[in-house]
DNA sequence: CAGCATCCACCAAGATACTG
DNA sequence: CAGTATCTTGGTGGATGCTG
């Protein structure tokens, strides 16, 4: 997280240049992580399949998300110039390695979110 | 990520009830992860120390973030009723375990973000 | 010192309509 | 089918001023 151990305003971690920050900006995105997980499961999907699979996403957000992930080298976009056009998306090796990282998050969540829920109830009860 | 393998609109992962979604909402937060990392390094910090350490955070956001993390059981808030008041924040065991998960993210970022950067340059060059 | 209250600006995200 | 274009909005986050 780019923590400065020296004195001064310390963290520059939130700066756009911090790798961790940029990673969180990516996977913290509501749709990006869903796209990655979907492609991780299916291996390769068409635009319309992704659209159907990820409930609630608008075309705009799906396209925007896919472009971003493509730009980051996390997935590839393949156009087959048939009629009508066919476009397939697939994770790159880089994208697959990130999928592994996301799974770690998932495991923490499944193991500990119940505890978080209990803490919330407790907190809300005491502050009501 | 609560993926439905059955047919239908498939993902309900983005729903508020999905543990992974909620975890990403937490650590995807710009300031929350910084607070956790800061407390992970220092072990225990006063409000003013956190404020000085995390450059650019407003009082509003810092307070809001701390309340959220306290509510989630990730840190404790200890008030010492001296004059003037003294308030200390410290990670709970739960918060410490999350710190470990965040470190995984950091490792991925440090190992792969350079590759992401290259992909971006390439992409931007080809679309210019 | 450690906050709460208020106001405001901004922009990401959704809805809608159109197209190669 | 797989998008693009445009408009609108809500809620996040910052600035400011005040208090136990």
């Amino acid at each position: 997280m780019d923590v400065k151990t020296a004195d001064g305003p310390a963290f520059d971690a939130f700066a756009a240049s911090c790798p961790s920050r940029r990673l969180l900006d990516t996977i913290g995105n509501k749709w990006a992580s869903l796209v990655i997980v979907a492609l991780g499961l299916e291996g390769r999907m068409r635009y319309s399949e992704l659209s159907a699979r990820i409930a609630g996403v608008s075309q705009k957000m799906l396209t925007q998300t896919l472009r971003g992930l493509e730009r980051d080298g996390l997935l590839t976009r393949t156009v087959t110039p048939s009629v009508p056009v066919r476009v397939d998306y697939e994770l790159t090796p880089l994208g697959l390695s990130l999928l592994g990282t996301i799974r770690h998050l998932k495991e923490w969540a499944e193991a500990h979110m119940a505890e978080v829920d209990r803490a919330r109830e407790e907190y809300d009860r005491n502050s009501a």
Side-chain angles (χ1 to χ4, degrees), chain A residues 16-122:
Chain A
S17 60
C18 176
S20 306
R21 178 76 266 133
R22 304 208 342 264
L23 174 58
L24 284 174
D25 286 343
T26 297
I27 65 175
N29 190 318
K30 182 172 182 170
W31 306 116
S33 45
L34 291 177
V35 167
I36 291 171
V37 171
L39 289 177
L41 285 169
E42 305 287 328
R44 166 179 267 245
M45 298 176 80
R46 303 182 60 169
Y47 180 91
S48 50
E49 291 174 329
L50 280 166
S51 181
R53 209 62 190 284
I54 303 177
V57 70
S58 63
Q59 303 152 325
K60 178 187 171 183
M61 289 321 296
L62 182 55
T63 300
Q64 188 174 303
T65 301
L66 288 168
R67 289 290 185 280
L69 294 175
E70 185 195 1
R71 185 168 108 104
D72 288 350
L74 297 174
L75 55 78
T76 57
R77 176 174 181 270
T78 312
V79 180
T80 307
S82 53
V83 179
V85 200
R86 176 194 177 101
V87 182
D88 288 282
Y89 293 93
E90 190 170 17
L91 289 182
T92 61
L94 187 60
L96 278 169
S97 78
L98 184 54
L99 179 65
T101 301
I102 291 177
R103 266 202 268 267
H104 274 300
L105 285 180
K106 185 193 170 200
E107 279 159 27
W108 191 95
E110 288 173 347
H112 298 287
M113 284 312 272
E115 197 172 344
V116 169
D117 285 332
R118 264 183 273 117
R120 281 192 192 178
E121 285 175 34
E122 167 98 2

